[in-house]
Amino acid sequence: MIRLFCQRTLPYTNPAVHSRINSWISRSQRGFSSLAVQLTQQCSSHADESPMPDFDSHSYAAILKECVRKRDSTEGFRLHCEILKRGNCLDLFASNILLNVYVKSGSISDANKLFEEMPQRNTISFVTLLQGFSESQRFSEALDLFLRLHREGHELNTFVFTSTLKLLVRMGWAEIGWCLHGFIYKLGHDSDAFVGSALIDAYTVCGCVDIARHVFKGIVFKDMVSWTGIVACYAENDCFEEALELFHEMRIVGFKPNNFTFTSVLKTCLGLGSLNAGKSIHANVIKSHYKEDQFVGLALLDLYTKFGNTADARRAFEEMPKSDVVSWSFMIARYAQKDQCEEALDLFFQMRNALVCPNQFTCASVLQACATMQNLVLGKQIHCHVTKVGLDLNVFVSNALMDVYAKCGKIENSMELFVQSPEKNDVTWNTMIVGYAQLGDGEKALSLFSSMLRFQLWATEVTYSSALRACASISALEPGLQIHSLTIKTTYDKDIAVGNAMIDMYAKCGLIKYARLVFDKLKEQDEVTWNAMISGYSIHGLGMEALKVFEMMQKTKCKPNKLTLVGVLSACSNAGLLEQGQAYFNSMIQDYGIEPCMEHYTCMIGLFGRLGHLNKAVKLIEEMPFEPSVMVWRALLGACVIHNNVELGKLSAQRVLEMEPQDDAAHVLLSNLYANAKRWNNVAFIRKSMKKKGVRKEPGLSWIETQGIVHYFIVGDTSHPDMKLISGMLEWLNMKTRRAGFVPNCSVVMRQVEDGERKRLLWLHSERLALAFGLIRTPSGSQIRIIKNLRICVDCHAAMKFVSKIVKRDILIRDMNRFHNFQDGICSCGDSW
């Protein structure tokens, strides 16, 4: 072939030149285009021999075509230089091929320059450069080129329409395909398979399935591409049954599915929720020898993992080629997402042994597994690796690293990465907000949320739900109300995760009625929704309402889980519903298939103890199938304090201190128990023991929010700027409550002092200081909301009932256990807390 080419394009008379060419042909191993360039250079260098005439345009066209075929852009550029030296003898056909050389090499600017310098241009010239602009994502220039082609009156053929339709799809302007469709229809190209397939692709992106089907029917000679396109159109637009019907129709007509067809049909099976149909398609894949195709393999992995069948997914993975990082990353990601972290890490180690280099998605998935397992050691090792290979600044990897450190309790490391990250997206901010919220730092989480909004980043359902949970953790009602308003504006209030967080926020901020309103407005409820509402009623002491919600839940498809029964038993305990609590506890295994765990036993111990059934509580502890936890003994100790059972209380405290020697609550409760029994020597011994161990009693702390500012009060505190007004209000309340019949309970003052001093100390409790401040600084008639870090004492509880009736204000106090809503002399807890 080369010899024939040389004979036709290099006529010569000198025998020496003829011999030299034959020698070159026999020795050359460098390929056709290189040899042709050698011929032009070497033959023209012999001045002593007969001059060789220049190549004509057809000769250059043939050589350039070979350069395009071999993608040898270097030879193409050298040949272009030679052509320019010889006076640019290329005709339109050869010029278009040279233009294609530049386009295929990615030198779009040079291609555009050549295009503008061409003395003549035709449709092929425009289409070649248009495709180059499109591949280089210079979309506006590509679109201008199409308009120029039409304006200059060049032929609008199938290649023009196909290339332009693909351009519009890549630009995200597939809707404009309507206008182009009109041209196509007028010129009669709508029946062409290539144009029709491109139209179907455009209408697929637009979601115009019916029009795509109309285009498909209009194609005269349907090929495999058009069939695959229409099947993909229905699959991508969730018309799964129609996609499957078209797939069967295609096979009846006689077309054999290819890898792209199988990919779409497997997605259809996933959409239909039919694993059996997917397995049938898998069998066809195996018969058609496409099981090793990457796209088909990934579709199979997606099918099996979405159905939770990781064993079959793993078998499909083992049959795929292992040289590509995509399949490894996909499988590791699915394991990590399904909390099968050991399998994810094992597969990652296998991948490293197979010498496949992980990419940013692999590393992000492995770090997700480390975060779930709270494996800080491996997380740090991965951090070192990504830093070495330069992936630490990738936003996906950086976000995953922040999550690892946050879930391992190293939130300061997460913040350091956050500050250093050059690129932050919504996941970056969400990771930090969630991290602080989960660690209980609600104020920092809300501060980050505010900063995110100031940077005008788009908050997602994760952002809003996390911010609402941060509000719930610190009982911040005002920010919670503002976030609720934002969710309504962005329609995220209909999201179930946001709705659940909103229920929890309102319940923990004391507005249980608002929580119920949100609950009733949700279009669907999941287990978290029901649990949030049940536990919300429980902490408000509304046990019967909690049980009614539980009965409603049992009539739905949602099945109660362990947390549901914890909420139910807690509601019974808080409301003192002994019979109902025992009935639910005894029927847990039989009716709900739930084995009682430590939390359930703790609720029952609390229920028995609160109602004075201490013997039943002790018996239940003895019957527990596992060792009692600190919470169990602490619940029994609290009951002993209420009912003045010194000996059992001493035993309970001993058990607590054996497990947690530094537990201040156990020391304090035992001291209170001895103080109630007037055993002051024992009280003094407990205090000395605490001092010796370095155990410090947590001081009573109450806080109240007014006009966006939180005011804190410690028992006996005199540092507040409004202390004079507060003292005056306390004196007035003391006088008014005594006149109304209030009798102080001095037994709660655990000091050996005179009764007069005890009565004075009672009015210095932190919740009373906060109450006096609230009465001074909040509008008349508004609700007063106080939060306390410890359990409210008996005397303060009784005083609050009197005050609520005297000042005719609702007083809401959230202590460490529950809410107390005082209205007109009555507390929502029914005096049982």
Side-chain angles (χ1 to χ4, degrees), residues 239-441:
C239 302
F240 302 120
E241 293 182 1
E242 294 86 344
L244 209 55
E245 290 174 3
L246 280 166
F247 174 71
H248 292 308
E249 186 180 337
M250 181 192 79
R251 299 196 67 191
I252 292 171
V253 171
F255 285 99
K256 292 183 178 180
N258 58 22
N259 52 339
F260 300 110
T261 321
F262 280 127
T263 302
S264 297
V265 177
L266 286 168
K267 182 178 181 179
T268 298
C269 296
L270 182 60
L272 289 170
S274 176
L275 181 60
N276 291 331
K279 289 182 176 180
S280 300
I281 301 299
H282 190 178
N284 286 332
V285 167
I286 295 171
K287 290 178 182 178
S288 304
H289 306 290
Y290 280 113
K291 65 180 181 179
E292 294 186 358
D293 180 83
Q294 180 185 357
F295 297 106
V296 177
L298 291 175
L300 284 168
L301 295 183
D302 194 33
L303 174 76
Y304 287 122
T305 53
K306 288 284 178 64
F307 278 105
N309 196 338
T310 52
D312 284 343
R314 186 61 180 265
R315 280 193 286 270
F317 171 77
E318 296 298 340
E319 294 177 354
M320 295 172 61
K322 300 295 188 300
S323 58
D324 188 19
V325 68
V326 176
S327 55
W328 288 95
S329 298
F330 185 94
M331 201 65 200
I332 292 170
R334 286 292 185 264
Y335 275 133
Q337 289 162 5
K338 292 185 176 295
D339 292 343
Q340 294 178 281
C341 302
E342 295 286 351
E343 291 84 350
L345 296 180
D346 178 65
L347 200 61
F348 175 69
F349 297 142
Q350 290 184 35
M351 174 185 174
R352 299 296 288 146
N353 291 332
L355 302 180
V356 178
C357 186
N359 59 15
Q360 64 269 34
F361 304 108
T362 322
C363 294
S365 298
V366 173
L367 286 167
Q368 182 183 352
C370 293
T372 304
M373 297 173 67
Q374 297 184 4
N375 190 335
L376 183 60
V377 175
L378 183 58
K380 287 183 175 180
Q381 292 176 1
I382 301 296
H383 191 176
C384 294
H385 171 75
V386 298
T387 303
K388 287 179 182 178
V389 298
L391 288 175
D392 56 317
L393 297 180
N394 178 273
V395 66
F396 300 107
V397 177
S398 179
N399 292 344
L401 281 170
M402 291 178 205
D403 192 38
V404 170
Y405 287 117
K407 288 183 178 174
C408 292
K410 302 291 183 180
I411 194 69
E412 63 279 358
N413 296 69
S414 300
M415 179 53 75
E416 185 178 345
L417 289 170
F418 176 81
V419 172
Q420 294 174 353
S421 179
E423 181 185 356
K424 298 180 180 69
N425 58 13
D426 61 311
V427 178
T428 314
W429 288 89
N430 289 344
T431 301
M432 294 306 303
I433 293 170
V434 170
Y436 277 111
Q438 289 178 341
L439 291 173
D441 194 343

Side-chain angles (χ1 to χ4, degrees), residues 721-822:
D722 291 334
M723 200 61 216
K724 289 184 178 180
L725 293 174
I726 292 170
S727 298
M729 177 59 72
L730 288 174
E731 287 294 333
W732 183 81
L733 291 174
N734 188 5
M735 178 185 67
K736 285 289 186 181
T737 53
R738 287 189 178 225
R739 287 180 182 178
F742 172 64
V743 179
N745 185 347
C746 296
S747 64
V748 300
V749 178
M750 304 304 171
R751 295 186 189 179
Q752 196 171 2
V753 293
E754 297 294 330
D755 283 349
E757 178 64 11
R758 288 190 181 190
K759 292 175 183 179
R760 186 188 71 81
L761 291 173
L762 286 172
W763 283 97
L764 295 179
H765 282 193
S766 62
E767 57 264 51
R768 299 198 199 192
L769 297 173
L771 171 66
F773 176 81
L775 290 171
I776 295 167
R777 293 299 183 191
T778 58
S780 177
S782 63
Q783 186 187 60
I784 298 174
R785 300 176 62 255
I786 300 170
I787 304 171
K788 183 176 171 64
N789 65 330
L790 301 177
R791 179 176 176 269
I792 187 172
C793 73
V794 176
D795 189 70
C796 285
H797 191 273
M800 292 294 172
K801 291 195 294 182
F802 277 91
V803 172
S804 68
K805 191 171 184 179
I806 292 168
V807 299
K808 301 190 182 304
R809 302 270 294 269
D810 288 351
I811 303 170
L812 185 73
I813 297 181
R814 179 187 176 183
D815 67 7
M816 66 180 297
N817 293 327
R818 54 174 301 158
F819 277 97
H820 299 267
N821 194 352
F822 301 94

Side-chain angles (χ1 to χ4, degrees), residues 3 44 76 126 240 293 299 319 391 397 460 517 536 567 614 631 741 795:
R3 188 173 282 107
S44 62
F126 279 90
F240 302 120
D293 180 83
E319 294 177 354
L391 288 175
V397 177
T460 65
L517 284 173
L614 299 179
M631 294 304 298
D795 189 70

Side-chain angles (χ1 to χ4, degrees), residues 437-464:
Q438 289 178 341
L439 291 173
D441 194 343
E443 291 183 2
K444 185 63 177 177
L446 291 177
S447 174
L448 280 168
F449 175 72
S450 300
S451 299
M452 181 180 181
L453 295 183
R454 281 198 300 272
F455 280 106
Q456 297 183 342
L457 288 168
W458 189 261
T460 65
E461 64 273 20
V462 177
T463 321
Y464 287 119

Side-chain angles (χ1 to χ4, degrees), residues 4-25:
L4 181 61
F5 170 81
C6 293
Q7 290 173 356
R8 291 184 177 179
T9 58
L10 295 173
Y12 53 88
T13 58
N14 193 311
V17 176
H18 185 274
S19 175
R20 192 178 294 111
I21 291 174
N22 283 330
S23 175
W24 285 333
I25 292 172

